[in-house]
Amino acid sequence: MPLLRIVPVAALCLILGACSNGNNGTPDASLAYSAEIRRTDYGIPHIKADDWGGLGYGYGYAYAEDNFCITMREVVFSRSLSAELLGESVGSADSDFLFRYLYGSKEEFQTTFFDPLPDYVKELTAGMAAGMNRYVAETGVENLPEGDLGCRDASWVFEIDAVDLLMYQGRETFRGSSNQGTLRRAILDTTGPDEQVAAQKIVPSALQLAAMGPPLRQFAAEISPEVRGSNGIAMGRDVTQSGYGMLLGNPHQPWQRAGSWYQAHLTIPGVYDVAGASLTGYPFIGIGFNKDLAWTHTVSPANRFSLYELTLNPENPLQYDYDGEWRDIVPEDIEVQVKLADGSLESRTHTFYTSQYGPIINLKGVSPIFDGWPLFNGTSLIALRDANLTTGPRGIPLWITKGQATNLDEYIEALGIIGNPVFHDLAADRSGEAFYGEISSIPFITQSQLDDCVDGIGALLATQTSNVIVGLDGSRSECEWGTDPEAPEGSNLYGASSLPQLRTTNYVANSNNSYWLSNPEMPITGFPVIMGPVGHENLQQFSRTRIGHVMIRERIAGTDGFSTEPGFTLETLQQLMYSN
């Protein structure tokens, strides 16, 4: 019999107990969950448990009290059930097609991504799902929140499990690549070979080619967070009055819906004790602190994908050249169910086309010149390879291990998991050290490959987007992503020690530019352009980056008017933040 106890003290305290129900994604059907939930000022939940399953259970229950319907809706989309359960007025058959194609069925996702995870991650996620389910069982679907963000009496509310939650978290990983608006459309816009032969293709004029520039630059701007990004500062003992490290996290996340923050404090005594904020529906603290260090993130413009130009077989448009041999482009039919206005279900099918690199894409949404199979040159197609296809499941072990770090050595070691899909990392510890790192999911493409393999249509894309979009020659094996023995097995990503980073007792800061000027007095140089195409080495930074460094230097000198004493205190850091 589950135990629920309310203690009449200043903070609300719930003692939760339950047994797992053996659903898919639960490691042990006999596992018992228990957790303590205290809510302090502003309703912030503090969860304490003796194990990972209990921690997830308490957090899931508390989180569901505040945000259940938001995550439930996202789970429906991540499971490719949105058109079936929500109908096309709210759901999206295109979204369902795309994620069924990328991740497969739930059973396939579990085998490929969930089952290999460490047991503690499975226990944590299964516990969170169980806690959310308990909240719904006690509350009743008829009493869930109403409104645009609610789900009262919704037929699409169902009991979830750990795999459901991980599919949602994995889907969020693609926001900087396959689930970015233009790329998502480009994958779905591919419809197979044209009926006209290559000789009938119309080669664009010089004027038409020049006209590609503005839409291509707009495409790059959608990926680059120049205006809508975040700010972070990590300060070491040389620039703080206390001699300890300090940190400012200023992430620009939405206030509601998926992608917003949820503040909490999670504790397993002696194992994990972290406070801060998680993204909605995530079972760990994303930006936060423990007793020894604090960390934050800003979105990075580093390349998370690359395009490959494929040279087609003139006799067979479903084959392309690779080292002098023809390789097949494989059609794959994906079927989803769509609820019609009368409530009946209709089966629909979409065909994707896959190369060794990934899906064939059609960039007609960027410029009509990029429409067609083959393209305007009569010989080529473009394929997409996404570095984040395997990153998502590594995210939970990464952030949990970061939260357990007691110093910067352990923190930096945790970053080597490479579970970070799109972020710069900034941290400061109690000893007075500060750290910046672009230790995230970046494809292993060397500068020599960029110099040698970016030609043809790929060169046009790179030139017009200032290397934000990288297009490589797909006909040569030497243009494939390489292998770093330090990176996760089979990922073809850069390992941690090969990525830009800076450790100092001074300060580091980032406002969504490249790694180069994390501290203007200590430039970070010698890295390929894909690690920071926006504001790359020896290029001007955004005005937001530049004014940030000016404000920091004025505070260090004590000339900003906040205080005549040089260096940072809590008060002057707050003043700096709100005076921008």
Side-chain angles (χ1 to χ4, degrees):
M1 180 74 177
L3 174 66
L4 173 63
R5 183 159 61 92
I6 301 176
V7 181
V9 293
L12 175 65
C13 180
L14 305 179
I15 307 298
L16 294 177
C19 293
S20 67
N21 56 17
N23 278 351
N24 186 28
T26 300
D28 183 351
S30 64
L31 182 66
Y33 298 124
S34 63
E36 175 187 279
I37 304 171
R38 293 182 300 115
R39 285 193 182 266
T40 55
D41 290 349
Y42 307 104
I44 297 170
H46 298 250
I47 317 300
K48 184 178 179 181
D50 293 331
D51 53 42
W52 292 106
L55 187 69
Y57 183 65
Y59 191 33
Y61 187 92
Y63 170 82
E65 289 182 304
D66 301 323
N67 283 308
F68 172 79
C69 294
I70 292 174
T71 296
M72 185 69 245
R73 188 184 302 265
E74 293 302 315
V75 166
V76 168
F77 274 86
S78 303
R79 285 278 311 277
S80 296
L81 297 172
S82 72
E84 177 179 349
L85 299 182
L86 300 172
E88 290 187 282
S89 62
V90 177
S92 168
D94 282 349
S95 173
D96 295 345
F97 284 133
L98 179 63
F99 284 96
R100 183 66 54 81
Y101 169 68
L102 292 174
Y103 271 158
S105 66
K106 180 177 177 178
E107 293 71 26
E108 291 168 331
F109 179 90
Q110 178 171 351
T111 299
T112 304
F113 298 106
F114 183 83
D115 289 347
L117 288 171
D119 285 344
Y120 77 89
V121 174
K122 299 177 187 176
E123 293 161 7
L124 175 69
T125 314
M128 185 169 190
M132 294 175 69
N133 290 334
R134 172 169 176 176
Y135 163 75
V136 176
E138 290 182 351
T139 305
V141 177
E142 68 278 7
N143 296 314
L144 292 174
E146 298 180 284
D148 292 342
L149 300 180
C151 55
R152 180 170 294 184
D153 289 323
S155 60
W156 44 270
V157 173
F158 55 82
E159 190 170 281
I160 63 175
D161 60 34
V163 180
D164 293 326
L165 286 178
L166 198 70
M167 291 184 79
Y168 156 56
Q169 294 154 26
R171 178 172 176 261
E172 291 296 295
T173 301
F174 288 116
R175 287 194 178 273
S177 48
S178 292
N179 199 27
Q180 185 274 338
T182 301
L183 288 178
R184 179 174 62 242
R185 189 72 261 157
I187 297 171
L188 290 159
D189 278 344
T190 300
T191 56
D194 296 345
E195 293 183 3
Q196 61 183 353
V197 297
Q200 295 175 313
K201 298 296 288 188
I202 299 174
V203 179
S205 66
L207 185 62
Q208 288 173 309
L209 286 171
M212 289 189 202
L216 283 173
R217 286 190 285 276
Q218 177 60 37
F219 177 22
E222 292 175 7
I223 298 172
S224 303
E226 179 173 358
V227 176
R228 61 184 183 279
S230 304
N231 308 300
I233 310 171
M235 292 141 281
R237 57 180 174 266
D238 295 347
V239 300
T240 66
Q241 291 186 20
S242 68
Y244 297 110
M246 295 182 68
L247 184 99
L248 170 67
N250 177 217
H252 296 181
Q253 293 296 117
W255 288 106
Q256 296 178 319
R257 303 183 186 274
S260 59
W261 290 116
Y262 185 75
Q263 189 173 354
H265 177 198
L266 307 179
T267 303
I268 301 175
V271 178
Y272 184 75
D273 189 6
V274 181
S278 65
L279 292 177
T280 51
Y282 281 48
F284 56 83
I285 299 300
I287 286 178
F289 62 94
N290 60 29
K291 68 182 181 65
D292 296 306
L293 75 164
W295 62 93
T296 191
H297 312 123
T298 61
V299 174
S300 161
N303 294 99
R304 309 300 169 183
F305 62 90
S306 66
L307 306 182
Y308 277 94
E309 182 177 356
L310 309 183
T311 301
L312 294 177
N313 181 349
E315 303 298 325
N316 183 349
L318 287 174
Q319 289 185 330
Y320 60 96
D321 176 42
Y322 184 78
D323 283 345
E325 297 180 355
W326 298 120
R327 293 205 171 180
D328 292 333
I329 297 171
V330 180
E332 181 178 352
D333 292 336
I334 300 296
E335 182 178 350
V336 302
Q337 299 293 310
V338 178
K339 183 164 68 174
L340 303 180
D342 63 3
S344 63
L345 293 177
E346 174 183 272
S347 294
R348 293 187 191 170
T349 302
H350 184 91
T351 303
F352 296 89
Y353 294 85
T354 307
S355 70
Q356 70 192 67
Y357 302 105
I360 305 300
I361 64 173
N362 183 319
L363 288 170
K364 67 181 182 181
V366 175
S367 172
I369 290 176
F370 286 112
D371 193 12
W373 181 320
L375 293 171
F376 59 84
N377 61 7
T379 60
S380 299
L381 288 177
I382 299 174
L384 167 70
R385 186 170 185 189
D386 191 337
N388 277 324
L389 186 60
T390 62
T391 302
R394 293 195 299 272
I396 300 179
L398 168 66
W399 266 277
I400 291 294
T401 308
K402 283 169 55 170
Q404 293 173 310
T406 61
N407 53 53
L408 277 182
D409 287 335
E410 294 176 1
Y411 185 86
I412 295 168
E413 182 179 359
L415 297 179
I417 295 171
I418 313 293
N420 171 356
V422 294
F423 302 121
H424 300 283
D425 227 291
L426 298 99
D429 71 3
R430 66 167 54 250
S431 75
E433 285 196 282
F435 173 79
Y436 161 83
E438 170 58 286
I439 303 179
S440 57
S441 180
I442 299 177
F444 195 102
I445 302 171
T446 65
Q447 189 61 48
S448 62
Q449 284 179 302
L450 294 173
D451 296 339
D452 177 51
C453 295
V454 177
D455 54 19
I457 292 176
L460 173 66
L461 292 166
T463 300
Q464 294 292 346
T465 65
S466 300
N467 295 303
V468 172
I469 311 300
V470 171
L472 305 171
D473 185 346
S475 68
R476 294 188 287 148
S477 56
E478 57 263 36
C479 300
E480 288 256 29
W481 294 1
T483 301
D484 186 336
E486 191 185 56
E489 184 177 358
S491 68
N492 294 112
L493 304 177
Y494 275 99
S497 66
S498 300
L499 293 165
Q501 50 193 287
L502 175 62
R503 188 169 177 174
T504 179
T505 54
N506 198 270
Y507 85 91
V508 290
N510 186 272
S511 293
N512 304 117
N513 270 139
S514 81
Y515 54 85
W516 176 45
L517 293 182
S518 297
N519 183 314
E521 305 301 323
M522 293 175 271
I524 305 171
T525 60
F527 294 91
V529 68
I530 66 162
M531 293 186 184
V534 179
H536 189 58
E537 296 170 20
N538 301 310
L539 295 178
Q540 181 170 282
Q541 305 285 280
F542 296 153
S543 59
R544 184 157 49 85
T545 297
R546 302 199 310 272
I547 195 174
H549 285 308
V550 169
M551 295 171 72
I552 292 168
R553 294 170 80 170
E554 289 177 347
R555 169 74 323 254
I556 292 172
T559 60
D560 54 10
F562 302 151
S563 167
T564 57
E565 294 293 323
F568 282 95
T569 64
L570 176 61
E571 291 75 19
T572 55
L573 181 57
Q574 290 172 331
Q575 286 176 290
L576 180 145
M577 167 68 198
Y578 291 111
S579 68
N580 186 346

